[in-house]
Coordinates of all heavy atoms in Angstrom, one line a residue:
M28 N 201.7 102.9 40.7 CA 200.8 104.0 40.8 C 200.8 104.8 42.1 O 200.6 105.9 42.2 CB 199.4 103.7 40.3 CG 199.2 103.5 38.9 SD 199.9 104.6 37.8 CE 199.0 106.1 38.1
D29 N 201.2 104.0 43.1 CA 201.3 104.7 44.5 C 202.4 105.7 44.5 O 202.2 106.7 45.2 CB 201.6 103.6 45.6 CG 200.4 102.7 45.9 OD1 199.3 103.1 45.6 OD2 200.6 101.7 46.5
V30 N 203.4 105.5 43.7 CA 204.5 106.5 43.7 C 204.2 107.5 42.7 O 204.2 108.7 43.0 CB 205.9 105.8 43.4 CG1 206.9 106.8 43.1 CG2 206.2 104.8 44.4
L31 N 203.9 107.1 41.4 CA 203.7 108.1 40.4 C 202.4 108.9 40.5 O 202.3 110.0 39.9 CB 203.8 107.4 39.0 CG 205.1 106.8 38.7 CD1 205.1 106.1 37.3 CD2 206.3 107.8 38.7
G32 N 201.5 108.3 41.2 CA 200.1 109.0 41.3 C 200.2 110.1 42.3 O 199.2 110.9 42.3
E33 N 201.2 110.2 43.1 CA 201.3 111.4 44.0 C 201.4 112.7 43.3 O 202.2 112.8 42.3 CB 202.5 111.2 44.9 CG 202.4 110.1 46.0 CD 201.6 110.4 47.2 OE1 201.3 111.6 47.4 OE2 201.1 109.5 47.8
R34 N 200.7 113.7 43.7 CA 200.7 115.0 43.1 C 202.2 115.5 43.0 O 202.9 115.4 44.0 CB 199.8 116.0 43.8 CG 199.7 117.3 43.2 CD 198.8 118.2 44.0 NE 198.6 119.4 43.3 CZ 198.2 120.5 43.8 NH1 197.6 120.5 45.0 NH2 198.1 121.7 43.1
W35 N 202.6 116.0 41.8 CA 203.8 116.7 41.6 C 204.9 115.7 41.2 O 206.0 116.1 40.6 CB 204.4 117.5 42.7 CG 203.5 118.6 43.2 CD1 202.7 118.7 44.2 CD2 203.3 119.9 42.5 NE1 202.0 119.8 44.3 CE2 202.4 120.6 43.2 CE3 203.9 120.4 41.3 CZ2 202.0 121.9 42.8 CZ3 203.5 121.7 41.0 CH2 202.5 122.4 41.7
T36 N 204.8 114.4 41.4 CA 205.9 113.4 41.3 C 206.3 113.3 39.8 O 207.5 113.4 39.5 CB 205.5 112.0 41.8 OG1 205.2 112.1 43.1 CG2 206.6 111.1 41.6
V37 N 205.4 113.2 38.9 CA 205.7 113.2 37.5 C 206.4 114.5 37.0 O 207.3 114.5 36.2 CB 204.5 112.8 36.6 CG1 204.8 112.9 35.1 CG2 204.0 111.4 36.9
L38 N 205.9 115.6 37.5 CA 206.6 116.9 37.1 C 208.0 116.9 37.7 O 209.0 117.5 37.0 CB 205.7 118.1 37.6 CG 204.4 118.2 37.0 CD1 203.5 119.3 37.7 CD2 204.5 118.4 35.5
I39 N 208.3 116.5 38.8 CA 209.6 116.4 39.4 C 210.5 115.5 38.5 O 211.6 115.9 38.2 CB 209.6 115.9 40.9 CG1 208.9 116.9 41.7 CG2 211.0 115.6 41.3 CD1 208.6 116.4 43.2
L40 N 210.0 114.4 38.1 CA 210.7 113.4 37.2 C 211.0 114.1 36.0 O 212.1 114.0 35.4 CB 209.9 112.2 37.0 CG 209.8 111.3 38.3 CD1 208.7 110.2 37.9 CD2 211.1 110.6 38.6
R41 N 210.1 114.8 35.3 CA 210.3 115.6 34.1 C 211.4 116.5 34.2 O 212.3 116.6 33.4 CB 209.0 116.4 33.7 CG 209.1 117.2 32.4 CD 208.0 118.2 32.3 NE 208.2 119.2 33.3 CZ 207.4 120.1 33.6 NH1 206.2 120.2 32.9 NH2 207.6 121.0 34.6
E42 N 211.5 117.3 35.3 CA 212.5 118.3 35.5 C 213.9 117.5 35.6 O 214.9 118.0 35.1 CB 212.3 119.0 36.8 CG 211.2 120.0 36.7 CD 211.4 121.1 35.7 OE1 212.5 121.6 35.6 OE2 210.5 121.3 34.8
L43 N 213.9 116.4 36.3 CA 215.2 115.7 36.5 C 215.6 114.9 35.2 O 216.8 114.6 35.0 CB 215.1 114.8 37.7 CG 215.0 115.4 39.1 CD1 214.8 114.4 40.2 CD2 216.2 116.4 39.3
L44 N 214.7 114.7 34.3 CA 215.0 114.0 33.1 C 215.9 115.0 32.2 O 216.6 114.6 31.3 CB 213.7 113.7 32.3 CG 213.1 112.3 32.7 CD1 211.8 112.2 32.1 CD2 214.0 111.1 32.4
L45 N 215.7 116.3 32.5 CA 216.5 117.4 31.8 C 217.9 117.5 32.3 O 218.8 118.2 31.8 CB 215.8 118.7 31.9 CG 214.4 118.7 31.2 CD1 213.7 120.0 31.5 CD2 214.5 118.4 29.7
G46 N 218.2 116.8 33.4 CA 219.6 116.8 34.0 C 219.5 117.1 35.5 O 218.4 117.5 36.1
P47 N 220.6 116.9 36.2 CA 220.7 117.1 37.6 C 220.3 118.5 38.0 O 220.6 119.5 37.3 CB 222.1 116.8 38.0 CG 222.6 116.0 36.9 CD 221.8 116.4 35.7
K48 N 219.6 118.7 39.2 CA 219.2 120.0 39.6 C 219.3 120.1 41.2 O 219.1 119.1 41.8 CB 217.7 120.3 39.2 CG 217.5 120.4 37.7 CD 216.3 121.1 37.3 CE 216.3 121.3 35.8 NZ 216.7 120.4 35.0
R49 N 219.5 121.3 41.6 CA 219.5 121.6 43.0 C 218.1 121.8 43.5 O 217.2 122.1 42.7 CB 220.4 122.9 43.3 CG 221.8 122.7 43.0 CD 222.6 123.8 43.4 NE 222.5 123.9 44.8 CZ 223.4 124.5 45.6 NH1 224.5 125.0 45.0 NH2 223.3 124.5 46.9
F50 N 217.9 121.6 44.7 CA 216.5 121.7 45.3 C 215.8 123.1 44.9 O 214.7 123.0 44.5 CB 216.6 121.6 46.8 CG 215.3 121.6 47.6 CD1 214.7 120.4 47.8 CD2 214.7 122.7 47.9 CE1 213.5 120.3 48.5 CE2 213.5 122.7 48.7 CZ 212.9 121.5 48.9
T51 N 216.5 124.2 45.1 CA 215.9 125.5 44.7 C 215.5 125.6 43.3 O 214.5 126.3 43.0 CB 216.8 126.6 45.2 OG1 218.1 126.5 44.6 CG2 217.0 126.7 46.7
K52 N 216.3 125.0 42.4 CA 216.0 125.0 41.0 C 214.7 124.2 40.7 O 213.9 124.7 39.9 CB 217.2 124.5 40.2 CG 217.1 124.6 38.7 CD 217.2 126.0 38.2 CE 217.3 125.9 36.7 NZ 217.2 127.3 36.1
I53 N 214.6 123.1 41.3 CA 213.4 122.3 41.1 C 212.2 123.0 41.7 O 211.1 123.2 40.9 CB 213.5 120.9 41.7 CG1 214.6 120.1 41.2 CG2 212.2 120.1 41.6 CD1 215.0 118.9 42.0
L54 N 212.3 123.5 42.9 CA 211.2 124.3 43.5 C 210.9 125.5 42.7 O 209.6 125.8 42.5 CB 211.6 124.8 44.9 CG 210.6 125.4 45.7 CD1 209.4 124.3 45.9 CD2 211.2 125.8 47.1
G55 N 211.8 126.2 42.0 CA 211.5 127.4 41.2 C 210.7 127.0 39.9 O 210.1 127.9 39.4
S56 N 210.8 125.8 39.5 CA 210.0 125.4 38.3 C 208.6 124.9 38.6 O 207.9 124.5 37.7 CB 210.8 124.5 37.4 OG 211.1 123.3 38.1
M57 N 208.3 124.8 39.9 CA 207.0 124.3 40.3 C 206.3 125.5 41.0 O 206.4 125.8 42.1 CB 207.2 123.2 41.4 CG 208.0 122.0 40.9 SD 207.2 121.1 39.7 CE 208.6 120.1 39.1
A58 N 205.5 126.1 40.2 CA 204.9 127.4 40.6 C 204.2 127.5 42.0 O 204.4 128.4 42.7 CB 203.9 127.9 39.6
S59 N 203.4 126.5 42.3 CA 202.7 126.6 43.6 C 203.1 125.4 44.5 O 202.3 125.1 45.5 CB 201.2 126.6 43.3 OG 200.8 125.5 42.6
M60 N 204.1 124.7 44.3 CA 204.6 123.7 45.2 C 205.4 124.2 46.4 O 206.2 125.0 46.2 CB 205.4 122.7 44.4 CG 205.8 121.5 45.2 SD 206.8 120.4 44.2 CE 206.6 118.8 45.0
G61 N 205.1 123.7 47.5 CA 205.8 124.2 48.7 C 207.1 123.4 49.0 O 207.2 122.2 48.4
P62 N 208.0 123.9 49.6 CA 209.3 123.2 49.9 C 209.2 121.9 50.7 O 209.8 120.9 50.5 CB 210.2 124.2 50.7 CG 209.3 125.2 51.2 CD 208.0 125.2 50.2
N63 N 208.2 121.8 51.6 CA 208.0 120.6 52.3 C 207.5 119.5 51.5 O 207.9 118.4 51.6 CB 207.0 120.8 53.6 CG 207.6 121.7 54.6 OD1 208.8 121.9 54.7 ND2 206.7 122.2 55.4
R64 N 206.6 119.9 50.6 CA 206.0 118.9 49.6 C 207.1 118.4 48.7 O 207.3 117.1 48.5 CB 204.9 119.4 48.8 CG 204.3 118.6 47.7 CD 203.1 117.8 48.2 NE 202.4 118.3 49.2 CZ 201.1 118.4 49.2 NH1 200.4 118.1 48.2 NH2 200.5 118.9 50.2
L65 N 208.0 119.2 48.2 CA 209.1 118.8 47.3 C 210.0 117.9 48.1 O 210.4 116.9 47.6 CB 209.8 120.0 46.7 CG 211.1 119.7 45.9 CD1 210.7 118.9 44.7 CD2 211.7 121.0 45.4
A66 N 210.4 118.3 49.3 CA 211.3 117.5 50.1 C 210.6 116.0 50.3 O 211.4 115.1 50.2 CB 211.6 118.1 51.4
D67 N 209.4 116.0 50.6 CA 208.7 114.7 50.8 C 208.7 113.9 49.5 O 209.0 112.7 49.5 CB 207.3 115.0 51.2 CG 206.5 113.7 51.4 OD1 207.0 112.9 52.2 OD2 205.4 113.6 50.9
R68 N 208.5 114.5 48.3 CA 208.5 113.7 47.1 C 209.9 113.3 46.7 O 210.1 112.1 46.3 CB 207.9 114.6 45.9 CG 206.5 115.0 46.1 CD 205.6 113.7 46.1 NE 204.2 114.1 46.2 CZ 203.5 114.3 47.4 NH1 204.1 114.0 48.5 NH2 202.3 114.7 47.4
L69 N 210.9 114.1 46.9 CA 212.3 113.7 46.6 C 212.7 112.6 47.5 O 213.4 111.6 47.1 CB 213.2 114.9 46.7 CG 213.1 115.9 45.6 CD1 214.0 117.2 46.0 CD2 213.6 115.4 44.3
R70 N 212.3 112.6 48.8 CA 212.6 111.6 49.8 C 212.0 110.3 49.3 O 212.6 109.2 49.3 CB 212.1 112.0 51.1 CG 212.6 111.1 52.3 CD 212.1 111.6 53.6 NE 212.4 113.0 53.9 CZ 211.5 114.0 54.0 NH1 210.2 113.7 53.9 NH2 211.7 115.2 54.2
S71 N 210.7 110.3 48.9 CA 210.0 109.1 48.4 C 210.7 108.5 47.2 O 211.0 107.3 47.1 CB 208.6 109.4 48.1 OG 207.9 109.8 49.2
L72 N 211.1 109.4 46.2 CA 211.7 108.9 45.0 C 213.1 108.3 45.4 O 213.6 107.4 44.7 CB 211.8 110.1 44.0 CG 210.5 110.5 43.4 CD1 210.7 111.8 42.6 CD2 210.0 109.4 42.5
H73 N 213.8 109.0 46.3 CA 215.2 108.5 46.8 C 215.0 107.1 47.5 O 215.8 106.2 47.2 CB 215.7 109.5 47.8 CG 217.1 109.1 48.2 ND1 217.4 108.4 49.3 CD2 218.3 109.3 47.6 CE1 218.7 108.2 49.4 NE2 219.3 108.7 48.3
T74 N 213.9 107.0 48.2 CA 213.7 105.7 49.0 C 213.5 104.5 48.0 O 214.0 103.5 48.2 CB 212.5 105.8 49.9 OG1 212.8 106.8 50.9 CG2 212.2 104.5 50.7
I75 N 212.8 104.7 46.9 CA 212.6 103.7 46.0 C 213.7 103.5 45.0 O 213.7 102.6 44.2 CB 211.2 103.8 45.2 CG1 211.3 105.0 44.3 CG2 210.1 103.8 46.2 CD1 210.2 105.0 43.3
G76 N 214.8 104.3 45.0 CA 215.9 104.3 44.2 C 215.8 104.9 42.9 O 216.6 104.6 42.0
A77 N 214.9 105.9 42.7 CA 214.8 106.5 41.4 C 215.6 107.8 41.3 O 215.8 108.3 40.3 CB 213.2 106.8 41.1
V78 N 215.9 108.4 42.5 CA 216.6 109.7 42.6 C 217.8 109.5 43.5 O 217.7 108.8 44.5 CB 215.7 110.8 43.0 CG1 216.4 112.0 43.4 CG2 214.6 111.1 42.0
S79 N 218.9 110.1 43.1 CA 220.1 110.1 44.0 C 220.4 111.6 44.4 O 219.9 112.5 43.7 CB 221.2 109.5 43.4 OG 221.7 110.2 42.2
R80 N 221.1 111.7 45.5 CA 221.4 113.1 45.9 C 222.9 113.1 46.1 O 223.5 112.3 46.8 CB 220.8 113.4 47.3 CG 221.1 114.8 47.8 CD 220.3 115.0 49.1 NE 220.6 116.3 49.6 CZ 221.0 116.6 50.8 NH1 220.9 115.6 51.7 NH2 221.2 117.7 51.2
S81 N 223.6 114.1 45.4 CA 225.0 114.1 45.5 C 225.4 115.0 46.7 O 224.7 115.9 47.1 CB 225.6 114.7 44.2 OG 225.2 116.0 44.0
E82 N 226.6 114.9 47.1 CA 227.2 115.7 48.1 C 228.6 116.2 47.7 O 229.1 115.6 46.8 CB 227.4 114.9 49.4 CG 226.1 114.4 50.1 CD 225.3 115.5 50.7 OE1 225.8 116.6 51.0 OE2 224.1 115.3 50.9
P83 N 229.2 117.3 48.1 CA 228.8 118.1 49.2 C 227.7 119.2 48.8 O 227.0 119.6 49.6 CB 230.1 118.8 49.7 CG 230.9 118.9 48.4 CD 230.5 117.6 47.6
T84 N 227.6 119.5 47.5 CA 226.6 120.5 47.1 C 225.5 119.6 46.7 O 225.5 118.9 45.7 CB 227.1 121.2 45.9 OG1 228.3 121.9 46.2 CG2 226.0 122.2 45.5
P85 N 224.4 119.7 47.5 CA 223.2 118.8 47.2 C 222.6 119.0 45.9 O 222.3 120.2 45.5 CB 222.2 119.1 48.3 CG 223.0 119.9 49.4 CD 224.2 120.5 48.6
E86 N 222.6 118.0 45.0 CA 222.0 118.1 43.7 C 221.3 116.7 43.5 O 221.9 115.7 43.8 CB 223.1 118.3 42.7 CG 222.6 118.7 41.3 CD 223.7 119.1 40.4 OE1 224.6 118.2 40.1 OE2 223.7 120.3 40.0
Y87 N 220.1 116.8 42.9 CA 219.4 115.6 42.7 C 219.4 115.2 41.2 O 219.5 116.0 40.4 CB 217.9 115.9 43.1 CG 217.7 116.2 44.5 CD1 217.8 117.4 45.1 CD2 217.5 115.1 45.4 CE1 217.7 117.7 46.4 CE2 217.4 115.3 46.8 CZ 217.5 116.7 47.3 OH 217.4 116.8 48.6
S88 N 219.5 113.9 41.1 CA 219.5 113.4 39.7 C 218.8 112.0 39.6 O 218.6 111.4 40.7 CB 220.9 113.3 39.2 OG 221.7 112.4 39.9
L89 N 218.4 111.6 38.5 CA 217.8 110.3 38.3 C 218.9 109.2 38.3 O 220.0 109.4 37.8 CB 217.0 110.3 37.1 CG 215.8 111.2 37.0 CD1 215.1 111.0 35.6 CD2 214.8 110.8 38.0
T90 N 218.5 108.2 38.9 CA 219.4 106.9 38.8 C 219.0 106.3 37.5 O 218.1 106.7 36.8 CB 219.0 106.0 40.0 OG1 217.7 105.6 39.9 CG2 219.3 106.7 41.3
D91 N 219.7 105.2 37.2 CA 219.3 104.4 36.0 C 217.9 103.9 36.1 O 217.1 103.9 35.2 CB 220.2 103.2 35.8 CG 221.7 103.6 35.4 OD1 221.8 104.8 34.9 OD2 222.6 102.9 35.5
F92 N 217.5 103.5 37.3 CA 216.1 103.1 37.6 C 215.1 104.2 37.3 O 214.1 103.9 36.7 CB 216.0 102.5 39.0 CG 214.7 102.1 39.4 CD1 214.1 101.0 38.8 CD2 213.9 102.7 40.5 CE1 212.8 100.6 39.1 CE2 212.7 102.2 40.9 CZ 212.1 101.2 40.2
G93 N 215.4 105.4 37.8 CA 214.6 106.5 37.6 C 214.5 106.9 36.1 O 213.5 107.3 35.6
A94 N 215.6 106.9 35.4 CA 215.7 107.2 34.0 C 214.8 106.2 33.2 O 214.5 106.6 32.1 CB 217.1 107.2 33.5
G95 N 214.6 105.0 33.8 CA 213.7 104.1 33.0 C 212.3 104.6 32.8 O 211.5 104.1 32.0
L96 N 211.9 105.7 33.5 CA 210.7 106.3 33.3 C 210.6 107.3 32.2 O 209.5 107.9 31.9 CB 210.2 107.0 34.6 CG 209.9 106.1 35.8 CD1 209.9 106.8 37.1 CD2 208.6 105.3 35.6
R97 N 211.7 107.5 31.5 CA 211.8 108.5 30.5 C 210.7 108.4 29.4 O 210.0 109.3 29.1 CB 213.2 108.5 29.8 CG 213.4 109.5 28.6 CD 214.8 109.4 28.1 NE 215.8 109.6 29.0 CZ 216.2 110.8 29.4 NH1 215.6 111.9 29.0 NH2 217.2 111.0 30.4
S98 N 210.6 107.2 28.9 CA 209.5 107.0 27.8 C 208.2 107.2 28.3 O 207.3 107.7 27.6 CB 209.7 105.6 27.2 OG 209.5 104.6 28.1
L99 N 207.9 106.8 29.6 CA 206.6 107.1 30.2 C 206.3 108.6 30.4 O 205.2 109.1 29.9 CB 206.5 106.4 31.6 CG 205.2 106.7 32.3 CD1 204.0 106.0 31.7 CD2 205.4 106.3 33.8
V100 N 207.2 109.3 30.9 CA 207.0 110.8 31.1 C 206.9 111.4 29.7 O 206.1 112.3 29.5 CB 208.2 111.4 32.0 CG1 208.1 112.9 32.0 CG2 208.2 110.8 33.3
I101 N 207.8 111.1 28.8 CA 207.6 111.7 27.4 C 206.3 111.3 26.8 O 205.6 112.2 26.1 CB 208.8 111.2 26.5 CG1 210.1 111.9 27.0 CG2 208.6 111.6 25.1 CD1 211.4 111.4 26.4
G102 N 205.9 110.1 26.9 CA 204.6 109.7 26.4 C 203.4 110.4 26.9 O 202.5 110.8 26.3
L103 N 203.5 110.7 28.3 CA 202.4 111.5 28.9 C 202.4 112.9 28.4 O 201.4 113.5 28.1 CB 202.6 111.5 30.4 CG 202.2 110.3 31.1 CD1 202.7 110.3 32.6 CD2 200.7 110.0 31.1
G104 N 203.6 113.5 28.1 CA 203.7 114.8 27.6 C 203.2 114.9 26.2 O 202.4 115.8 25.8
L105 N 203.5 113.9 25.3 CA 203.0 113.8 24.0 C 201.5 113.7 24.0 O 200.8 114.3 23.2 CB 203.7 112.7 23.2 CG 205.2 112.9 22.9 CD1 205.8 111.7 22.3 CD2 205.4 114.1 22.0
W106 N 200.9 112.9 24.8 CA 199.5 112.7 24.9 C 198.9 114.0 25.3 O 197.8 114.4 24.7 CB 199.2 111.6 26.0 CG 197.7 111.4 26.2 CD1 196.9 110.6 25.4 CD2 196.9 111.9 27.2 NE1 195.7 110.7 25.9 CE2 195.6 111.5 26.9 CE3 197.2 112.8 28.3 CZ2 194.6 111.8 27.8 CZ3 196.1 113.1 29.1 CH2 194.8 112.7 28.9
G107 N 199.5 114.7 26.2 CA 198.9 116.1 26.7 C 199.0 117.1 25.5 O 198.1 117.9 25.5
L108 N 199.9 117.0 24.7 CA 200.0 117.9 23.6 C 198.8 117.8 22.7 O 198.3 118.9 22.2 CB 201.2 117.7 22.7 CG 202.6 118.2 23.3 CD1 203.7 117.8 22.4 CD2 202.5 119.7 23.4
G109 N 198.2 116.6 22.6 CA 197.0 116.4 21.8 C 195.8 117.2 22.4 O 195.0 117.7 21.7
L110 N 195.8 117.2 23.7 CA 194.8 118.0 24.3 C 194.9 119.5 24.1 O 193.9 120.2 23.9 CB 194.8 117.8 25.8 CG 194.4 116.4 26.3 CD1 194.6 116.2 27.8 CD2 193.0 116.1 26.0
M111 N 196.1 119.9 24.1 CA 196.4 121.4 23.9 C 196.1 121.9 22.6 O 195.5 122.9 22.3 CB 197.8 121.7 24.3 CG 198.2 121.5 25.8 SD 199.9 121.8 26.2 CE 200.0 123.5 25.8
S112 N 196.5 121.0 21.5 CA 196.2 121.4 20.1 C 194.7 121.5 19.8 O 194.3 122.3 19.0 CB 197.0 120.6 19.2 OG 196.4 119.3 19.2
E113 N 193.9 120.6 20.4 CA 192.5 120.7 20.1 C 191.7 121.6 21.0 O 190.6 121.8 20.8 CB 192.0 119.2 20.2 CG 192.5 118.3 19.2 CD 192.1 116.8 19.4 OE1 191.0 116.7 20.1 OE2 192.7 116.0 18.9
G114 N 192.4 121.9 22.1 CA 191.8 122.7 23.1 C 190.9 121.9 24.0 O 190.4 120.8 23.7
V115 N 190.7 122.3 25.3 CA 190.0 121.6 26.2 C 188.8 122.4 26.5 O 188.9 123.5 27.2 CB 190.8 121.2 27.5 CG1 189.9 120.5 28.5 CG2 192.0 120.4 27.1
G116 N 187.6 122.0 26.1 CA 186.4 122.7 26.4 C 185.7 122.3 27.7 O 186.1 121.3 28.3
P117 N 184.7 123.0 28.1 CA 184.0 122.7 29.4 C 183.3 121.4 29.2 O 182.8 121.0 28.1 CB 183.0 123.8 29.5 CG 182.9 124.5 28.2 CD 184.2 124.2 27.5
L118 N 183.2 120.7 30.3 CA 182.3 119.5 30.2 C 180.9 119.8 30.2 O 180.5 120.7 31.0 CB 182.6 118.6 31.5 CG 184.0 118.1 31.6 CD1 184.3 117.4 32.9 CD2 184.4 117.2 30.4
T119 N 180.1 119.3 29.2 CA 178.7 119.7 29.1 C 177.7 118.8 29.6 O 176.5 119.1 29.6 CB 178.5 120.1 27.6 OG1 178.8 118.9 26.8 CG2 179.4 121.3 27.2
S120 N 178.1 117.5 29.8 CA 177.0 116.6 30.2 C 177.7 115.6 31.1 O 178.8 115.4 31.3 CB 176.5 115.9 29.0 OG 177.4 114.9 28.5
E121 N 176.8 114.7 31.7 CA 177.3 113.7 32.7 C 178.1 112.7 31.9 O 179.0 112.1 32.4 CB 176.0 113.1 33.3 CG 176.4 112.2 34.5 CD 175.2 111.8 35.3 OE1 174.3 112.7 35.6 OE2 175.1 110.6 35.7
T122 N 177.7 112.4 30.6 CA 178.4 111.5 29.8 C 179.9 112.0 29.7 O 180.9 111.2 29.7 CB 177.8 111.4 28.4 OG1 176.5 110.9 28.6 CG2 178.5 110.3 27.5
D123 N 180.1 113.3 29.4 CA 181.4 113.8 29.3 C 182.2 113.6 30.5 O 183.4 113.3 30.5 CB 181.4 115.3 29.0 CG 180.9 115.6 27.6 OD1 180.9 114.7 26.7 OD2 180.4 116.8 27.3
I124 N 181.6 113.7 31.7 CA 182.3 113.6 32.9 C 182.8 112.1 33.1 O 183.9 111.9 33.5 CB 181.5 114.0 34.2 CG1 181.2 115.6 34.0 CG2 182.0 113.7 35.5 CD1 180.2 116.1 35.0
R125 N 181.9 111.2 32.8 CA 182.2 109.8 32.9 C 183.4 109.4 32.0 O 184.2 108.5 32.3 CB 181.1 108.9 32.7 CG 180.1 108.8 33.8 CD 179.1 107.7 33.7 NE 178.4 107.7 32.4 CZ 177.2 108.3 32.2 NH1 176.6 108.9 33.2 NH2 176.6 108.3 31.1
C126 N 183.5 110.0 30.8 CA 184.5 109.6 29.8 C 185.8 110.4 30.1 O 186.8 110.0 29.5 CB 184.0 110.1 28.4 SG 182.6 109.0 27.9
A127 N 185.8 111.4 30.8 CA 187.0 112.2 31.1 C 188.0 111.5 31.9 O 187.8 110.7 32.6 CB 186.6 113.6 31.7

């Protein structure tokens, strides 16, 4: 969770599950993420062996280890679809906050 719990990390993995991408392409699909934050997250994912960087044209892709997160990322997406189809209403009580 120290790695996946970092803000933006799962979204970066989701992008790379679709195939190798250049830095600017990943950044373009993250509406409010800054380039320094993306560089930091990619560096962290590279350090643990989940992402590789090709040369001479830098392109990021998942390693076999990183691709092992496919079912987890898809599962989170499917779970989130359930929230979207039912709609997410405002929290109305302290009980709702504890359960959320």
Side-chain angles (χ1 to χ4, degrees):
M28 287 309 298
D29 286 341
V30 174
L31 297 180
E33 290 280 343
R34 186 174 180 197
W35 300 105
T36 301
V37 174
L38 295 175
I39 294 166
L40 292 168
R41 180 198 65 191
E42 288 301 310
L43 294 176
L44 281 168
L45 299 173
K48 294 202 174 36
R49 295 186 64 154
F50 185 91
T51 53
K52 183 75 171 173
I53 299 168
L54 188 60
S56 59
M57 307 287 166
S59 59
M60 181 183 208
N63 291 342
R64 175 91 28 130
L65 177 57
D67 181 52
R68 295 301 182 266
L69 287 170
R70 191 176 310 109
S71 295
L72 290 167
H73 184 266
T74 299
I75 65 163
V78 169
S79 65
R80 181 176 181 228
S81 66
E82 296 290 340
T84 304
E86 195 171 62
Y87 295 89
S88 60
L89 292 178
T90 62
D91 289 341
F92 179 62
L96 292 166
R97 180 178 303 279
S98 61
L99 174 73
V100 174
I101 290 171
L103 286 170
L105 292 173
W106 179 82
L108 283 175
L110 292 175
M111 292 176 66
S112 65
E113 295 176 20
V115 179
L118 298 174
T119 56
S120 71
E121 196 171 314
T122 302
D123 291 339
I124 293 169
R125 284 194 305 267
C126 293

